[in-house]
Amino acid sequence: MSLLLPVAGALNVPAAAAPGHHTWRVGPHRALATPSAAAAVARDGDTVLIDAGTYVGDVAVWTQDDLTLRGAGGKARLQAAGRSAEGKAIWVIAGDRARVDRIAFSGAVVPDGNGAGIRQEGTGLTLTRSVFRGNQDGLLSGADPDSDIVIRRTRFVANGAGDGYTHNLYIGEVRSLTVTRSYLASADVGHELKSRAARNTIVGNRITDGDASASYSIDLPNGGRSLIKDNVIIQGPHSQNSALVSYGAEGLTQPSHTLRVVHNTLVNRLGSGTFVNLAAGARGVLRHNLIAGRGELTAGGTVTAHANHRISLAAYERGVRR
């Protein structure tokens, strides 16, 4: 026999019978019409399936651990429309080990300028097949030395408040960040990717400014054991900073001071600058990269470079058009 819990006003919905986990269905024609209604009743370990469609002005705080939050039948699109949870984000995820899949977040704006699609406050997050567009920050995480953040097949486009302090993706001092098979583009003045993690694995992504005014393509301001591999990274002609990749610019506070840049295509459309900029005391290893456009390969630090191939921007553009 199922239990009944009140939901935001009038409707009653079945809750999970302990000790099992429950799957909650969300949609405009269901008992739980909005994600925030599910946030009010879900328990640790539950799954919330959100019908594909657009949810305007619905924001939520998720406090439960081990949640799965997934769009069903396509992406669930959350538009902030001037609202925020706790003055922070469309979703504040305070529980640990959340999994977010096939959700789109757009338009998060708050008075302090840090409105995020997701504000990650719990320990651990896995994010897949999702979209962050036009928020002051795309995904913004706090500092948590036990947290591992994994991002796969996700798009971050045109996030940033235009102040240089907000970014497409901004990760605090966590244990590790892994970003694979994702697309980061057109940040507004801020960086395409900024991470203070102790370990960074950035593999198989496309990171491009387009015609936007982004700053660094990748900023790892505190160092950390970092691998940048098999990416296409394109700095646009209107970039706010002349370096594509910056490592240790705010102090090498993480234990490892080594950056490996391997098998990438690095393109500079700005006309001058530096492909990889390292703080004094950092070690860079650059191998088998295709370097297109003008600028110095590296600056600062101690660098080992081998088998990097340099071509002109014009040659790169001809190859892309073929």
Side-chain angles (χ1 to χ4, degrees), residues 1-95:
M1 181 175 180
S2 63
L3 302 175
L4 293 178
L5 292 178
V7 179
L11 293 175
N12 288 330
V13 297
H21 302 312
H22 190 82
T23 296
W24 304 90
R25 300 301 302 258
V26 173
H29 304 296
R30 299 184 184 274
L32 296 176
T34 61
S36 62
V41 297
R43 299 173 180 174
D44 291 354
D46 284 357
T47 295
V48 178
L49 300 180
I50 306 170
D51 289 346
T54 301
Y55 299 82
V56 179
D58 186 70
V59 299
V61 179
W62 302 91
T63 59
Q64 305 86 346
D65 295 337
D66 300 299
L67 281 179
T68 296
L69 308 169
R70 176 177 295 138
K75 285 188 174 59
R77 303 183 182 278
L78 310 181
Q79 297 178 359
R83 298 197 63 205
S84 65
E86 298 183 340
K88 297 175 181 177
I90 296 173
W91 279 3
V92 175
I93 299 181

Coordinates of all heavy atoms in Angstrom, one line a residue, residues 1-95:
M1 N 0.9 -1.2 0.0 CA 0.0 0.0 0.0 C 0.9 1.2 0.0 O 1.8 1.4 0.8 CB -0.9 0.0 1.2 CG -1.8 1.2 1.3 SD -2.9 1.0 2.7 CE -3.9 2.5 2.5
S2 N 0.7 2.2 -1.0 CA 1.5 3.3 -1.1 C 1.1 4.4 -0.1 O -0.1 4.5 0.3 CB 1.5 3.9 -2.5 OG 0.2 4.3 -2.8
L3 N 2.1 5.2 0.3 CA 1.8 6.3 1.2 C 1.5 7.5 0.4 O 1.8 7.6 -0.8 CB 3.0 6.6 2.1 CG 3.5 5.4 2.9 CD1 4.8 5.8 3.6 CD2 2.5 5.1 4.0
L4 N 0.8 8.5 0.9 CA 0.5 9.7 0.2 C 1.1 10.9 1.0 O 1.0 11.0 2.2 CB -1.0 9.9 0.2 CG -1.8 8.9 -0.7 CD1 -3.3 9.1 -0.7 CD2 -1.3 8.9 -2.1
L5 N 1.7 11.8 0.2 CA 2.3 13.0 0.7 C 1.7 14.2 0.1 O 1.4 14.2 -1.1 CB 3.8 13.0 0.5 CG 4.7 12.0 1.2 CD1 6.1 12.1 0.8 CD2 4.5 12.2 2.7
P6 N 1.5 15.3 0.8 CA 0.9 16.5 0.2 C 2.0 17.2 -0.7 O 3.2 17.2 -0.4 CB 0.6 17.4 1.4 CG 1.4 16.9 2.5 CD 1.7 15.4 2.2
V7 N 1.6 17.8 -1.8 CA 2.5 18.5 -2.7 C 1.9 19.9 -2.9 O 0.9 20.0 -3.5 CB 2.6 17.7 -4.0 CG1 3.5 18.5 -5.0 CG2 3.1 16.3 -3.8
A8 N 2.7 20.8 -2.5 CA 2.5 22.2 -2.9 C 1.1 22.6 -3.1 O 0.7 23.0 -4.2 CB 3.3 22.5 -4.1
G9 N 0.3 22.5 -2.1 CA -1.1 22.9 -2.3 C -2.1 21.8 -2.2 O -2.5 21.5 -1.1
A10 N -2.5 21.3 -3.3 CA -3.7 20.4 -3.3 C -3.5 19.0 -3.6 O -4.2 18.1 -3.1 CB -4.7 21.0 -4.3
L11 N -2.5 18.6 -4.5 CA -2.5 17.3 -5.0 C -1.7 16.4 -4.1 O -0.8 16.7 -3.4 CB -1.7 17.3 -6.4 CG -2.5 18.0 -7.5 CD1 -1.6 18.1 -8.7 CD2 -3.8 17.3 -7.8
N12 N -2.2 15.1 -4.1 CA -1.5 14.0 -3.4 C -0.8 13.1 -4.4 O -1.4 12.8 -5.4 CB -2.4 13.2 -2.5 CG -2.9 14.0 -1.3 OD1 -2.1 14.9 -0.8 ND2 -4.1 13.8 -0.8
V13 N 0.4 12.6 -4.1 CA 1.1 11.7 -5.0 C 1.7 10.6 -4.2 O 2.0 10.7 -3.0 CB 2.2 12.5 -5.7 CG1 1.7 13.6 -6.6 CG2 3.3 13.1 -4.8
P14 N 1.9 9.4 -4.8 CA 2.4 8.3 -4.1 C 3.9 8.5 -3.7 O 4.7 9.0 -4.6 CB 2.3 7.1 -5.0 CG 2.2 7.8 -6.4 CD 1.5 9.1 -6.2
A15 N 4.3 8.2 -2.5 CA 5.7 8.2 -2.1 C 6.3 6.8 -2.1 O 5.5 5.8 -2.0 CB 5.8 8.9 -0.8
A16 N 7.6 6.7 -2.0 CA 8.3 5.4 -2.0 C 8.1 4.8 -0.7 O 8.1 5.4 0.4 CB 9.7 5.6 -2.3
A17 N 7.9 3.5 -0.7 CA 7.8 2.7 0.5 C 9.2 2.3 0.9 O 9.9 1.7 0.1 CB 6.9 1.5 0.3
A18 N 9.6 2.6 2.1 CA 11.0 2.3 2.6 C 11.1 0.7 2.5 O 10.2 0.0 2.8 CB 11.2 2.8 3.9
P19 N 12.3 0.2 2.2 CA 13.6 0.9 2.0 C 13.9 1.2 0.6 O 15.0 1.6 0.2 CB 14.6 0.0 2.6 CG 14.1 -1.4 2.2 CD 12.5 -1.3 2.3
G20 N 13.0 0.9 -0.4 CA 13.2 1.1 -1.8 C 13.3 2.6 -2.2 O 12.9 3.5 -1.4
H21 N 13.7 2.8 -3.4 CA 13.8 4.1 -4.0 C 12.6 4.3 -5.0 O 12.2 3.4 -5.6 CB 15.1 4.4 -4.7 CG 16.3 4.2 -3.8 ND1 16.4 4.8 -2.5 CD2 17.4 3.5 -3.9 CE1 17.5 4.5 -2.0 NE2 18.2 3.7 -2.8
H22 N 12.2 5.5 -5.1 CA 11.0 5.9 -5.9 C 11.4 6.6 -7.1 O 12.4 7.4 -7.1 CB 10.0 6.7 -5.1 CG 8.7 6.9 -5.7 ND1 7.7 5.9 -5.6 CD2 8.2 7.9 -6.4 CE1 6.6 6.3 -6.3 NE2 6.9 7.5 -6.8
T23 N 10.6 6.4 -8.2 CA 10.8 7.2 -9.4 C 9.6 8.2 -9.5 O 8.4 7.7 -9.5 CB 10.8 6.3 -10.7 OG1 12.0 5.5 -10.6 CG2 10.9 7.2 -11.9
W24 N 9.9 9.5 -9.5 CA 8.8 10.5 -9.6 C 8.8 11.0 -11.0 O 9.8 11.3 -11.6 CB 9.2 11.7 -8.7 CG 9.4 11.3 -7.2 CD1 10.6 10.9 -6.6 CD2 8.4 11.2 -6.2 NE1 10.4 10.6 -5.3 CE2 9.0 10.8 -5.0 CE3 7.0 11.5 -6.2 CZ2 8.4 10.6 -3.8 CZ3 6.4 11.3 -5.0 CH2 7.0 10.9 -3.8
R25 N 7.5 11.1 -11.5 CA 7.3 11.6 -12.9 C 6.8 13.1 -12.8 O 5.9 13.3 -12.0 CB 6.3 10.8 -13.7 CG 6.7 9.3 -13.8 CD 8.0 9.2 -14.6 NE 8.0 9.8 -15.9 CZ 7.9 9.1 -17.0 NH1 7.7 7.8 -17.0 NH2 7.9 9.8 -18.2
V26 N 7.4 13.9 -13.6 CA 7.1 15.4 -13.6 C 6.7 15.8 -14.9 O 7.3 15.5 -15.9 CB 8.3 16.2 -13.1 CG1 8.0 17.7 -13.2 CG2 8.7 15.8 -11.7
G27 N 5.6 16.6 -15.0 CA 5.2 17.2 -16.3 C 3.9 17.9 -16.1 O 3.2 17.8 -15.1
P28 N 3.6 18.8 -17.0 CA 2.4 19.7 -16.9 C 1.1 18.9 -16.7 O 0.1 19.5 -16.2 CB 2.4 20.5 -18.2 CG 3.3 19.8 -19.1 CD 4.3 19.0 -18.3
H29 N 1.0 17.6 -17.2 CA -0.2 16.9 -17.1 C -0.1 15.8 -16.0 O -0.9 14.9 -16.0 CB -0.6 16.3 -18.4 CG -0.7 17.4 -19.5 ND1 -1.6 18.4 -19.5 CD2 0.1 17.6 -20.6 CE1 -1.5 19.1 -20.5 NE2 -0.4 18.7 -21.2
R30 N 0.9 15.9 -15.2 CA 1.1 14.9 -14.1 C 0.7 15.5 -12.8 O 0.6 16.7 -12.6 CB 2.5 14.3 -14.2 CG 2.8 13.7 -15.5 CD 4.2 13.1 -15.4 NE 4.6 12.5 -16.7 CZ 4.3 11.3 -17.1 NH1 3.6 10.5 -16.4 NH2 4.8 10.8 -18.3
A31 N 0.7 14.6 -11.8 CA 0.4 15.1 -10.4 C 1.4 16.1 -9.9 O 1.1 17.0 -9.2 CB 0.3 13.9 -9.4
L32 N 2.7 15.8 -10.3 CA 3.8 16.7 -10.0 C 4.0 17.5 -11.3 O 4.6 17.0 -12.3 CB 5.1 16.0 -9.6 CG 5.0 15.2 -8.3 CD1 6.3 14.5 -8.1 CD2 4.7 16.2 -7.1
A33 N 3.6 18.8 -11.3 CA 3.6 19.5 -12.6 C 5.0 20.1 -12.8 O 5.3 20.5 -14.0 CB 2.5 20.6 -12.5
T34 N 5.8 20.3 -11.8 CA 7.0 21.1 -12.0 C 8.2 20.4 -11.2 O 7.9 19.6 -10.3 CB 6.9 22.5 -11.4 OG1 6.6 22.4 -10.0 CG2 5.8 23.3 -12.1
P35 N 9.4 20.6 -11.7 CA 10.5 20.0 -10.9 C 10.6 20.4 -9.4 O 10.9 19.6 -8.6 CB 11.7 20.5 -11.7 CG 11.3 20.7 -13.1 CD 9.8 21.2 -12.9
S36 N 10.2 21.7 -9.1 CA 10.2 22.1 -7.7 C 9.3 21.3 -6.9 O 9.5 21.1 -5.7 CB 9.9 23.6 -7.6 OG 8.6 23.9 -8.1
A37 N 8.2 20.9 -7.4 CA 7.2 20.0 -6.7 C 7.9 18.7 -6.4 O 7.7 18.1 -5.3 CB 5.9 19.8 -7.5
A38 N 8.7 18.2 -7.3 CA 9.4 16.9 -7.0 C 10.5 17.1 -5.9 O 10.7 16.2 -5.1 CB 10.0 16.4 -8.3
A39 N 11.1 18.3 -6.0 CA 12.1 18.6 -5.0 C 11.6 18.6 -3.6 O 12.3 18.3 -2.6 CB 12.8 19.9 -5.3
A40 N 10.3 18.9 -3.4 CA 9.7 18.9 -2.1 C 9.4 17.6 -1.5 O 9.2 17.4 -0.3 CB 8.4 19.8 -2.2
V41 N 9.3 16.5 -2.4 CA 8.9 15.2 -1.9 C 9.9 14.1 -2.1 O 9.8 13.0 -1.5 CB 7.6 14.8 -2.5 CG1 6.4 15.8 -2.2 CG2 7.7 14.7 -4.1
A42 N 10.9 14.3 -2.9 CA 11.9 13.3 -3.2 C 12.7 12.9 -2.0 O 12.9 13.8 -1.1 CB 12.8 13.7 -4.4
R43 N 13.2 11.7 -2.0 CA 14.0 11.3 -0.9 C 15.4 10.8 -1.4 O 15.6 10.6 -2.6 CB 13.3 10.1 -0.2 CG 12.0 10.5 0.5 CD 11.3 9.3 1.0 NE 10.0 9.6 1.6 CZ 9.1 8.8 2.1 NH1 9.4 7.5 2.0 NH2 8.0 9.2 2.6
D44 N 16.3 10.5 -0.6 CA 17.6 10.1 -1.0 C 17.5 8.9 -1.9 O 16.8 7.9 -1.6 CB 18.5 9.7 0.3 CG 18.9 10.9 1.1 OD1 18.6 12.0 0.8 OD2 19.5 10.6 2.2
G45 N 18.3 8.9 -3.0 CA 18.3 7.8 -3.9 C 17.2 7.7 -4.9 O 17.2 6.8 -5.7
D46 N 16.3 8.7 -4.9 CA 15.2 8.6 -5.8 C 15.6 9.1 -7.2 O 16.7 9.7 -7.4 CB 14.1 9.5 -5.3 CG 13.3 8.9 -4.2 OD1 13.5 7.7 -3.9 OD2 12.4 9.6 -3.7
T47 N 14.7 8.8 -8.2 CA 14.9 9.3 -9.6 C 13.7 10.2 -9.9 O 12.6 9.9 -9.6 CB 14.9 8.1 -10.5 OG1 16.1 7.3 -10.3 CG2 15.0 8.6 -12.0
V48 N 14.1 11.3 -10.5 CA 13.0 12.3 -11.0 C 13.1 12.4 -12.5 O 14.1 12.8 -13.0 CB 13.2 13.7 -10.3 CG1 12.2 14.6 -10.8 CG2 13.2 13.6 -8.8
L49 N 12.1 11.9 -13.2 CA 12.0 12.0 -14.6 C 11.1 13.2 -15.0 O 9.9 13.2 -14.7 CB 11.4 10.7 -15.2 CG 12.3 9.4 -14.9 CD1 11.6 8.2 -15.5 CD2 13.7 9.6 -15.4
I50 N 11.7 14.1 -15.7 CA 11.0 15.4 -16.1 C 10.6 15.3 -17.6 O 11.5 15.3 -18.4 CB 11.9 16.6 -15.7 CG1 12.3 16.5 -14.3 CG2 11.1 17.9 -16.0 CD1 13.4 17.6 -13.9
D51 N 9.4 15.4 -17.9 CA 8.9 15.3 -19.3 C 9.6 16.5 -20.1 O 9.7 17.6 -19.6 CB 7.4 15.5 -19.4 CG 6.7 14.2 -18.9 OD1 7.3 13.2 -18.7 OD2 5.5 14.3 -18.6
A52 N 10.0 16.1 -21.3 CA 10.5 17.1 -22.2 C 9.5 18.3 -22.4 O 8.3 18.1 -22.4 CB 10.8 16.5 -23.6
G53 N 10.0 19.5 -22.4 CA 9.2 20.7 -22.5 C 9.8 21.8 -21.8 O 11.0 21.7 -21.4
T54 N 9.2 22.9 -21.8 CA 9.7 24.2 -21.2 C 9.0 24.5 -19.9 O 7.8 24.5 -19.8 CB 9.6 25.3 -22.2 OG1 10.3 25.0 -23.4 CG2 10.2 26.6 -21.6
Y55 N 9.8 24.7 -18.9 CA 9.3 25.1 -17.5 C 9.8 26.5 -17.2 O 11.0 26.7 -17.0 CB 9.8 24.1 -16.5 CG 9.3 22.6 -16.8 CD1 10.0 21.9 -17.7 CD2 8.2 22.1 -16.2 CE1 9.6 20.6 -18.0 CE2 7.8 20.8 -16.5 CZ 8.4 20.1 -17.4 OH 8.0 18.8 -17.7
V56 N 8.9 27.4 -17.2 CA 9.3 28.8 -17.0 C 9.1 29.3 -15.6 O 8.1 29.1 -15.0 CB 8.4 29.7 -18.0 CG1 8.7 31.2 -17.8 CG2 8.6 29.3 -19.4
G57 N 10.2 29.9 -15.1 CA 10.2 30.4 -13.7 C 10.1 29.4 -12.6 O 9.8 29.8 -11.5
D58 N 10.4 28.2 -12.9 CA 10.4 27.2 -11.8 C 11.8 26.9 -11.4 O 12.6 26.5 -12.2 CB 9.7 25.9 -12.3 CG 9.6 24.8 -11.2 OD1 8.8 25.1 -10.3 OD2 10.3 23.8 -11.2
V59 N 12.1 27.1 -10.1 CA 13.4 27.0 -9.6 C 13.4 26.0 -8.4 O 12.3 25.9 -7.8 CB 14.1 28.3 -9.2 CG1 14.2 29.2 -10.4 CG2 13.2 29.0 -8.1
A60 N 14.5 25.4 -8.0 CA 14.4 24.4 -7.0 C 15.7 24.3 -6.2 O 16.8 24.5 -6.8 CB 14.0 23.1 -7.6
V61 N 15.6 23.8 -5.0 CA 16.8 23.4 -4.2 C 16.6 21.9 -3.9 O 15.6 21.4 -3.4 CB 16.8 24.1 -2.8 CG1 18.0 23.7 -2.0 CG2 16.9 25.6 -3.0
W62 N 17.7 21.2 -4.3 CA 17.7 19.7 -4.1 C 18.6 19.4 -3.0 O 19.8 19.5 -3.1 CB 18.2 19.0 -5.4 CG 17.3 19.3 -6.6 CD1 17.5 20.3 -7.5 CD2 16.1 18.7 -7.0 NE1 16.5 20.4 -8.5 CE2 15.7 19.3 -8.2 CE3 15.4 17.6 -6.5 CZ2 14.5 18.9 -8.9 CZ3 14.3 17.1 -7.2 CH2 13.8 17.8 -8.4
T63 N 18.1 18.9 -1.9 CA 18.9 18.6 -0.7 C 19.2 17.1 -0.5 O 20.0 16.7 0.4 CB 18.1 19.1 0.6 OG1 16.8 18.4 0.7 CG2 17.9 20.6 0.5
Q64 N 18.5 16.3 -1.3 CA 18.6 14.8 -1.1 C 20.0 14.3 -1.7 O 20.5 14.9 -2.7 CB 17.5 14.1 -1.8 CG 16.1 14.6 -1.4 CD 15.6 15.8 -2.2 OE1 16.3 16.5 -2.9 NE2 14.3 16.1 -2.0
D65 N 20.5 13.2 -1.2 CA 21.7 12.6 -1.7 C 21.3 11.5 -2.8 O 20.2 11.0 -2.7 CB 22.5 11.9 -0.6 CG 23.0 12.9 0.4 OD1 23.2 14.1 0.1 OD2 23.3 12.4 1.6
D66 N 22.3 11.3 -3.7 CA 22.2 10.2 -4.7 C 20.9 10.3 -5.5 O 20.3 9.3 -5.9 CB 22.2 8.9 -3.9 CG 23.5 8.7 -3.2 OD1 24.6 8.7 -3.8 OD2 23.4 8.5 -1.9
L67 N 20.5 11.5 -5.9 CA 19.4 11.8 -6.8 C 19.8 11.6 -8.2 O 21.0 11.9 -8.6 CB 18.9 13.2 -6.6 CG 18.0 13.5 -5.4 CD1 17.6 15.0 -5.5 CD2 16.7 12.6 -5.4
T68 N 18.9 11.1 -9.0 CA 19.0 11.1 -10.5 C 17.9 12.1 -11.0 O 16.7 11.8 -10.8 CB 18.9 9.7 -11.1 OG1 19.9 8.9 -10.7 CG2 18.9 9.8 -12.6
L69 N 18.3 13.1 -11.7 CA 17.4 14.1 -12.3 C 17.6 14.1 -13.8 O 18.6 14.5 -14.3 CB 17.8 15.5 -11.7 CG 17.9 15.6 -10.2 CD1 18.4 16.9 -9.7 CD2 16.5 15.3 -9.5
R70 N 16.5 13.7 -14.5 CA 16.7 13.4 -15.9 C 15.5 13.9 -16.7 O 14.4 13.7 -16.3 CB 16.9 11.9 -16.1 CG 17.0 11.4 -17.6 CD 17.2 9.9 -17.7 NE 18.5 9.6 -17.1 CZ 18.8 8.6 -16.3 NH1 17.8 7.8 -15.9 NH2 20.0 8.3 -15.9
G71 N 15.8 14.4 -17.9 CA 14.8 14.8 -18.9 C 14.3 13.5 -19.5 O 15.1 12.6 -19.9
A72 N 13.0 13.4 -19.7 CA 12.3 12.1 -20.2 C 11.7 12.5 -21.6 O 10.9 13.4 -21.7 CB 11.3 11.6 -19.3
G73 N 12.1 11.7 -22.6 CA 11.5 12.0 -24.0 C 12.2 13.1 -24.7 O 11.6 13.7 -25.6
G74 N 13.3 13.6 -24.2 CA 14.0 14.8 -24.7 C 14.5 15.6 -23.6 O 14.4 15.2 -22.4
K75 N 14.9 16.8 -23.9 CA 15.4 17.7 -22.8 C 14.3 18.4 -22.1 O 13.3 18.9 -22.8 CB 16.4 18.7 -23.4 CG 17.8 18.1 -23.7 CD 18.7 19.2 -24.1 CE 20.1 18.6 -24.3 NZ 20.2 17.6 -25.3
A76 N 14.4 18.5 -20.8 CA 13.6 19.4 -20.0 C 14.2 20.8 -20.0 O 15.4 20.9 -19.5 CB 13.3 18.8 -18.7
R77 N 13.6 21.8 -20.4 CA 14.2 23.1 -20.6 C 13.7 24.1 -19.5 O 12.5 24.3 -19.4 CB 13.9 23.7 -21.9 CG 14.4 22.8 -23.0 CD 14.2 23.4 -24.4 NE 14.7 22.4 -25.4 CZ 15.9 22.3 -25.8 NH1 16.9 23.0 -25.2 NH2 16.3 21.4 -26.7
L78 N 14.6 24.5 -18.6 CA 14.2 25.4 -17.5 C 14.7 26.8 -17.8 O 15.9 27.1 -17.9 CB 14.9 24.9 -16.2 CG 14.8 23.4 -15.9 CD1 15.5 23.0 -14.6 CD2 13.3 23.0 -15.8
Q79 N 13.7 27.7 -17.9 CA 14.0 29.1 -18.1 C 13.7 29.9 -16.9 O 12.6 29.8 -16.3 CB 13.1 29.6 -19.3 CG 13.3 29.0 -20.6 CD 12.4 29.5 -21.7 OE1 11.5 30.3 -21.5 NE2 12.6 28.9 -22.9
A80 N 14.8 30.6 -16.4 CA 14.7 31.3 -15.1 C 13.6 32.4 -15.1 O 12.9 32.5 -14.1 CB 16.0 31.9 -14.8
A81 N 13.4 33.2 -16.1 CA 12.4 34.2 -16.2 C 12.4 35.1 -15.0 O 11.3 35.4 -14.4 CB 11.0 33.5 -16.4
G82 N 13.6 35.5 -14.5 CA 13.7 36.4 -13.4 C 13.6 35.8 -12.0 O 13.8 36.5 -11.0
R83 N 13.5 34.5 -11.9 CA 13.4 33.8 -10.6 C 14.7 33.1 -10.3 O 15.5 32.7 -11.2 CB 12.2 32.8 -10.6 CG 10.9 33.5 -10.8 CD 9.8 32.6 -10.3 NE 9.9 32.4 -8.9 CZ 9.4 31.3 -8.3 NH1 8.7 30.4 -9.0 NH2 9.5 31.1 -7.0
S84 N 15.0 32.8 -9.1 CA 16.2 32.0 -8.7 C 15.9 31.3 -7.4 O 15.0 31.8 -6.6 CB 17.4 32.9 -8.5 OG 17.2 33.8 -7.5
A85 N 16.6 30.2 -7.1 CA 16.5 29.5 -5.9 C 17.6 30.1 -4.9 O 18.7 30.2 -5.3 CB 16.8 28.0 -6.1
E86 N 17.2 30.6 -3.8 CA 18.0 31.1 -2.7 C 18.9 32.3 -3.3 O 19.9 32.6 -2.8 CB 19.0 30.1 -2.2 CG 18.2 28.9 -1.5 CD 19.2 27.9 -0.8 OE1 20.3 27.9 -1.2 OE2 18.7 27.2 0.1
G87 N 18.4 33.0 -4.3 CA 19.1 34.1 -4.9 C 20.4 33.6 -5.6 O 21.3 34.4 -5.8
K88 N 20.5 32.3 -6.0 CA 21.7 31.8 -6.5 C 21.6 31.2 -7.9 O 22.5 31.4 -8.7 CB 22.2 30.6 -5.6 CG 22.6 31.1 -4.2 CD 22.9 29.9 -3.3 CE 23.2 30.3 -1.9 NZ 23.5 29.0 -1.0
A89 N 20.6 30.4 -8.2 CA 20.6 29.6 -9.4 C 19.2 29.1 -9.8 O 18.3 29.3 -9.0 CB 21.5 28.4 -9.2
I90 N 19.1 28.5 -11.0 CA 17.8 27.9 -11.3 C 17.7 26.6 -10.4 O 16.7 26.4 -9.8 CB 17.8 27.5 -12.8 CG1 17.8 28.8 -13.6 CG2 16.6 26.6 -13.1 CD1 18.0 28.5 -15.1
W91 N 18.8 25.8 -10.3 CA 18.8 24.7 -9.4 C 20.0 24.9 -8.4 O 21.2 25.2 -8.9 CB 19.0 23.4 -10.1 CG 17.7 22.8 -10.6 CD1 16.5 23.4 -10.6 CD2 17.6 21.6 -11.3 NE1 15.6 22.6 -11.2 CE2 16.2 21.4 -11.7 CE3 18.5 20.6 -11.7 CZ2 15.8 20.3 -12.3 CZ3 18.0 19.4 -12.3 CH2 16.7 19.3 -12.7
V92 N 19.8 24.8 -7.1 CA 20.8 24.7 -6.2 C 20.9 23.2 -5.8 O 19.8 22.7 -5.3 CB 20.6 25.6 -4.9 CG1 21.6 25.3 -3.8 CG2 20.6 27.0 -5.3
I93 N 22.0 22.5 -6.0 CA 22.1 21.1 -5.6 C 22.9 21.0 -4.4 O 24.2 21.2 -4.4 CB 22.7 20.3 -6.8 CG1 21.7 20.4 -8.0 CG2 22.8 18.8 -6.4 CD1 22.2 19.6 -9.2
A94 N 22.3 20.8 -3.3 CA 22.9 20.8 -2.0 C 23.2 19.3 -1.5 O 24.1 19.1 -0.6 CB 22.1 21.5 -0.9
G95 N 22.5 18.4 -2.1 CA 22.8 17.0 -1.8 C 24.0 16.4 -2.5 O 24.6 17.0 -3.4

